[in-house]
Amino acid sequence: MTRMLGSDAILRSLEAEGVEVMFGIPGGAILPTYDAIARGTTVRHVLARHEQGAGHMAQGYARASGRVGVAIATSGPGATNLVTPIADAWMDSTPLVCITGQVYSRLIGTDAFQEIDITGITLPCVKHSWLVQDVREIPAVMKAAFHVARTGRPGPVLVDIAKDAQEAELDFHYPDEVDLPGWKPPTKVHERQVREAARAIADARQPIVYAGGGVLNGDACAELLELIESANLPSVVTLMGKSAIPDSHPLNCGMPGMHGSKFANFALNKSDLIIAVGSRFDDRVTGKVSAFAPGAKVIHFDIDAAEVGKIRSADIPVVGPLKLALTQLTSELKTMLAEKPMQTAAWHAQLDEWRGQYPYKYRKGTPGSLIKPQLVMETLRDITAGRNDVIWTTGVGQHQMWAMQYLQCDEPRSFITSGGLGTMGFGVPAAVGAKAARPDATVICVDGDGCFQMTCQELATAALERLPIVVVIVNNGWLGMVRQWQDLFYSERFAETHLTKQVPDYAQLAEALGAAGFTVDHEDDLESTLRAALEAGRTAVVDVRTDPEENCYPMIPAGAAAVDIIEMPDEEEVPS
Amino acid sequence: MSHHTVSVELENKPGALVRISQLFARRGYNIQSLAVGPTERPGISRLTLRVDCSEHTIEQIEKQMHKLVNVLRVVELLPDESVERELALITVGAPPDRRAELIALGDVFGARVADIGREALTFEIVGRPEELDAFEELVRPHGVRELARTGRIGLRRPGPRQSRAQAALT
Ligand SMILES: Cc1ncc(C[n+]2csc(CCOP(=O)(O)OP(=O)(O)O)c2C)c(N)n1
Ligand SMILES: [Mg+2]
């Protein structure tokens, strides 16, 4: 027991949790805690330029490291600026502890300066939240916050701490145990269910693993690999699951869904058994649910019981930690297969045929034509080939989908993107956070010109905090993905989607923010400039000016069935 | 669609109830009635919720509520295996010449007269929610001025399964 201030207790709690770094911006209601930072702590503070940036940095940190990310902000606008990252972390199950200052207890409820009910605002998108008004609650609440954020299905929590609680004294003791009688995430799996799952797999003729972000969150990448290799199981991998098994693995059939390949969509939709692992039948994957994989039985593995049967009913539900479930499954399955091997040769032959038939494709540029965005991805892929130290982050839009289609990610946690919420502006700050988690890594953000303009101020953070990242802007001059929908579904009425390629001048903007700026207009300069940026040794931005009319294919229109997939139109149909 | 009664044990912490009603609102579940009060254990409240929804939805509701940190237990109260009661206050128009008739009607249902005014009287009735519905129907022609119901509360029957005799008792 040590006598100390609440503000110091917050930091001692973070230290006790092993937190290395927090991302934030100070302000009135959190000032006592910043003063405690000045008094000294082992936790590094990274000063963001916008609380949204701080939140996405904490997410990038969490996603790259598998640990809990920490963001800190003041009351009122500081707290509301954190709402987008909290919602993003909620949708993508990212463990996050957000600490906000709150006005003095005696002012709560009076509409005091910078008073906002942030626990109320964030209610729909946190696992739990606490409003701390009694200084003595700080250690137990901090302990509980980290515990809830990381256990079960990970996600964001919020700790809102009144200024008087930060300023008051307490006898500090960090508890060893949490006192949360109502928090009981599953720690075991039902053996009988696992055995049933193994039997269904052994009997299947056209099985497909449908792996999602839960595999990464559940730290079950090695176990999944072991499963698919031991039973020769093909697997599709969702956007959130990308990098859970190597993209280069012969059993990886790529991404299903709206902009996934025809191959992956066929593999999933024409299977007779879907083995869902940490995936949630998101509408961007299933399209029209009633038409989704009509002939498939479903085994659903998830830590969150509420995901099982939510969208698609599960014939065999298996709730529990994926690491454990998959280990048990593989061992059961191996025993069964020793007696009777899988009968999936015809299915594999079919998959091979589709793989050959339906690669991602685009029409290459001609000499002097505008750079094709897909070529940017291919070049990035090629110049980083064979490296295991690259982490990619992305914005949201066409560039994100091309990044998903073309980049090769063989190491777990090497692809960090905003999936469920689809938050423009995620890429740059997430990259800064990833770099803080993995200083040894080369962190590359593939961004859109629209996305970049939402959070580019965090380049200053990257530059000054010595967290160098490389940002590659696919500058098509448009809010490209929206333009694509207008092109395809709104008779080419391009309302309010034109940004221009010239304003701002991204290279100059980068320089102004303390980064190196590059501009590429011609295909011939693409590779050398990207290499130069990677070798710059500091934060660098490459503005690659691309063909604005390029659409992302294939595409399953929202609400349509996978069989209605639109492929790239023939040459003559392409708008000129 | 069918009726479901769910009993929830909840830590009595600030905001605990809000989290539940928020969950219902956000996921589009419709609450018919909600009653909350203390239990035999200090610091723990019991919430009885009545919802009209499909089997699939009630399963989702239970699973989603389980994930709330303050929720200790969620059980569906099946009609055969639980006791449910509700209290209603009903103010009915009752000119002096109709009073006796109304009070006699109340007697049949075990409804007590809680208050009498010159032109109206207020019944209090406790019973199974269906009995309250029936009483309400009967007094309606007399002119219901105001009505308040607590929403049902329920408990599982102590025995593992009810016998026919028990069923007859309720
Ligand atoms: C914060 C936010 N606002 C709006 C949208 C809707 N939206 C989705 S993609 C997109 C365009 C993104 O433009 P850009 O960053 O240039 O990427 P591109 O599609 O051109 O590659 C928009 C506006 C969104 N996803 N997020
Ligand atoms: Mg763009």
Side-chain angles (χ1 to χ4, degrees):
Chain A
M1 285 290 190
T2 323
R3 194 82 186 152
M4 64 175 75
L5 295 173
S7 54
D8 290 302
I10 295 169
L11 295 178
R12 299 298 85 77
S13 303
L14 294 176
E15 289 160 6
E17 289 293 338
V19 174
E20 305 170 317
V21 54
M22 56 185 155
F23 306 87
I25 300 186
I30 194 72
L31 250 180
T33 298
Y34 273 80
D35 203 38
I37 293 175
R39 283 193 286 278
T41 172
T42 59
V43 184
R44 173 182 182 187
H45 182 275
V46 169
L47 176 60
R49 294 301 184 268
H50 188 300
E51 289 85 356
Q52 182 188 353
H56 291 324
M57 285 176 203
Q59 287 186 277
Y61 174 88
R63 297 265 295 268
S65 67
R67 310 181 61 196
V68 178
V70 178
I72 179 163
T74 191
S75 67
T80 54
N81 276 348
L82 276 181
V83 173
T84 299
I86 290 173
D88 194 280
W90 170 256
M91 295 292 275
D92 286 345
S93 309
T94 308
L96 215 59
V97 170
C98 294
I99 300 168
T100 49
Q102 183 52 278
V103 298
Y104 286 108
S105 295
R106 64 184 154 79
L107 294 176
I108 290 178
T110 67
D111 303 312
F113 179 64
Q114 296 194 329
E115 184 204 353
I116 203 78
D117 175 11
I118 192 63
T119 50
I121 286 178
T122 55
L123 217 49
C125 54
V126 291
K127 289 177 81 176
H128 198 62
S129 51
W130 293 262
L131 168 61
V132 181
Q133 291 175 262
D134 180 342
V135 65
R136 291 165 302 179
E137 288 178 3
I138 287 174
V141 167
M142 293 295 287
K143 178 86 187 177
F146 277 86
H147 182 75
V148 172
R150 78 162 80 84
T151 52
R153 178 181 181 171
V157 300
L158 175 82
V159 184
D160 194 27
I161 310 179
K163 196 170 179 180
D164 44 309
Q166 299 170 51
E167 287 173 348
E169 283 193 353
L170 80 163
D171 291 317
F172 181 81
H173 167 70
Y174 202 65
D176 297 323
E177 304 273 315
V178 284
D179 179 24
L180 294 169
W183 182 246
K184 293 167 286 218
T187 53
K188 292 199 206 67
V189 286
H190 214 298
E191 260 174 52
R192 214 186 58 216
Q193 296 297 93
V194 172
R195 199 165 313 126
E196 231 185 284
R199 193 159 301 125
I201 295 171
D203 289 344
R205 297 298 164 101
Q206 304 180 25
I208 189 86
V209 171
Y210 158 42
V215 178
L216 291 160
N217 278 330
D219 192 21
C221 300
E223 289 75 11
L224 180 61
L225 202 58
E226 168 80 12
L227 169 72
I228 66 171
E229 286 181 343
S230 60
N232 199 29
L233 285 173
S235 177
V236 294
V237 180
T238 69
L239 179 69
M240 288 306 298
K242 188 173 170 86
S243 83
I245 58 171
D247 276 332
S248 61
H249 198 285
L251 287 166
N252 190 334
C253 304
M255 191 186 89
M258 186 173 273
H259 290 288
S261 69
K262 202 166 179 174
F263 166 39
N265 278 304
F266 279 18
L268 186 55
N269 274 276
K270 304 197 175 186
S271 63
D272 67 355
L273 177 70
I274 292 175
I275 306 145
V277 186
S279 49
R280 59 184 179 91
F281 297 88
D282 179 79
D283 56 273
R284 284 295 186 265
V285 168
T286 62
K288 188 176 176 184
V289 178
S290 58
F292 174 70
K297 261 178 89 165
V298 171
I299 307 174
H300 199 161
F301 289 89
D302 209 288
I303 185 87
D304 182 356
E307 283 306 338
V308 178
K310 183 179 81 176
I311 304 290
R312 170 78 178 237
S313 69
D315 300 278
I316 307 174
V318 190
V319 173
L322 295 183
K323 208 177 169 73
L324 187 66
L326 295 180
T327 306
Q328 292 184 5
L329 176 68
T330 306
S331 110
E332 287 280 350
L333 195 55
K334 276 182 177 165
T335 319
M336 287 179 196
L337 295 184
E339 280 168 25
K340 180 180 144 258
M342 300 278 288
Q343 312 253 299
T344 53
W347 177 233
H348 279 282
Q350 172 68 78
L351 292 173
D352 284 343
E353 192 185 319
W354 284 334
R355 188 191 285 274
Q357 227 171 336
Y358 305 121
Y360 292 118
K361 53 176 190 264
Y362 69 98
R363 218 160 288 118
K364 305 253 190 272
T366 48
S369 69
L370 292 165
I371 299 174
K372 293 290 180 181
Q374 297 92 333
L375 180 70
V376 182
M377 304 305 159
E378 288 181 322
T379 309
L380 282 168
R381 178 192 67 200
D382 294 345
I383 65 176
T384 56
R387 287 175 62 166
N388 61 4
D389 69 328
V390 178
I391 296 176
W392 305 94
T393 72
T394 80
V396 168
Q398 292 178 314
H399 64 282
Q400 175 191 31
M401 294 295 110
W402 285 313
M404 177 276 299
Q405 292 178 343
Y406 289 92
L407 297 176
Q408 288 279 309
C409 296
D410 286 352
E411 298 296 319
R413 302 188 174 280
S414 60
F415 190 80
I416 300 173
T417 194
S418 169
L421 197 66
T423 307
M424 287 175 70
F426 177 84
V428 170
V432 176
K435 184 70 182 176
R438 294 267 314 276
D440 57 306
T442 298
V443 183
I444 308 173
C445 167
V446 173
D447 220 355
D449 45 334
C451 291
F452 181 78
Q453 291 190 65
M454 288 201 178
T455 49
C456 59
Q457 69 274 32
E458 304 304 346
L459 288 176
T461 309
L464 295 175
E465 297 273 353
R466 297 188 195 287
L467 295 169
I469 58 168
V470 175
V471 183
V472 178
I473 304 173
V474 178
N475 180 5
N476 52 12
W478 290 78
L479 298 168
M481 187 56 92
V482 182
R483 183 190 194 279
Q484 174 163 346
W485 284 50
Q486 292 170 331
D487 186 15
L488 299 176
F489 312 121
Y490 293 88
S491 309
E492 300 174 39
R493 289 184 299 275
F494 300 120
E496 305 300 322
T497 39
H498 191 207
L499 300 170
T500 81
K501 290 186 191 175
Q502 290 78 25
V503 179
D505 180 319
Y506 295 98
Q508 278 190 35
L509 182 57
E511 296 284 350
L513 288 163
F518 301 85
T519 309
V520 185
D521 276 304
H522 303 289
E523 212 175 292
D524 297 343
D525 305 324
L526 181 61
E527 182 178 331
S528 58
T529 314
L530 290 173
R531 282 187 190 281
L534 281 169
E535 281 151 24
R538 64 186 182 115
T539 292
V541 174
V542 188
D543 170 7
V544 186
R545 310 218 166 144
T546 62
D547 184 348
E549 290 182 351
E550 193 67 21
N551 280 346
C552 184
Y553 291 108
M555 176 175 196
I556 301 173
V563 289
D564 301 325
I565 196 162
I566 307 174
E567 296 209 77
M568 177 173 296
D570 292 335
E571 193 84 57
E572 48 278 12
E573 294 172 34
V574 175
S576 53
Chain B
M1 284 291 217
S2 50
H3 306 296
H4 302 271
T5 308
V6 186
S7 173
V8 184
E9 283 171 33
L10 184 68
E11 284 183 286
N12 190 2
K13 293 265 169 82
L17 192 57
V18 181
R19 285 174 211 276
I20 291 192
S21 49
Q22 188 280 327
L23 190 151
F24 274 74
R26 177 171 106 59
R27 297 210 182 252
Y29 312 139
N30 196 11
I31 305 179
Q32 297 294 320
S33 80
L34 182 157
V36 60
T39 60
E40 74 286 358
R41 282 171 291 164
I44 293 170
S45 306
R46 182 182 309 283
L47 204 93
T48 311
L49 281 154
R50 178 74 164 180
V51 278
D52 276 353
C53 63
S54 65
E55 285 298 327
H56 174 254
T57 304
I58 192 71
E59 204 183 305
Q60 267 292 307
I61 290 175
E62 287 181 34
K63 287 173 171 178
Q64 295 290 355
M65 277 202 289
H66 262 299
K67 290 202 287 179
L68 296 176
V69 168
N70 297 136
V71 168
L72 300 175
R73 225 161 88 94
V74 184
V75 287
E76 184 175 356
L77 298 179
L78 300 173
D80 295 354
E81 297 167 15
S82 54
V83 186
E84 292 185 359
R85 291 294 181 270
E86 189 172 2
L87 164 69
L89 295 172
I90 311 178
T91 301
V92 191
D97 59 317
R98 309 290 295 277
R99 255 187 220 160
E101 183 193 339
L102 269 165
I103 293 173
L105 192 63
D107 273 345
V108 179
F109 280 81
R112 285 187 45 214
V113 174
D115 197 39
I116 297 194
R118 245 196 310 160
E119 292 294 320
L121 61 79
T122 301
F123 281 114
E124 85 177 52
I125 173 169
V126 175
R128 288 186 292 122
E130 302 73 41
E131 292 171 339
L132 271 55
D133 294 342
F135 185 64
E136 195 185 316
E137 268 323 297
L138 274 174
V139 295
R140 199 167 283 287
H142 296 271
V144 172
R145 301 246 176 110
E146 263 190 316
L147 180 143
R149 289 174 69 154
T150 56
R152 65 185 70 207
I153 55 170
L155 285 180
R156 270 196 185 175
R157 291 178 180 284
R161 265 209 159 256
Q162 82 171 137
S163 65
R164 289 242 168 250
Q166 274 175 318
L169 271 177
T170 47

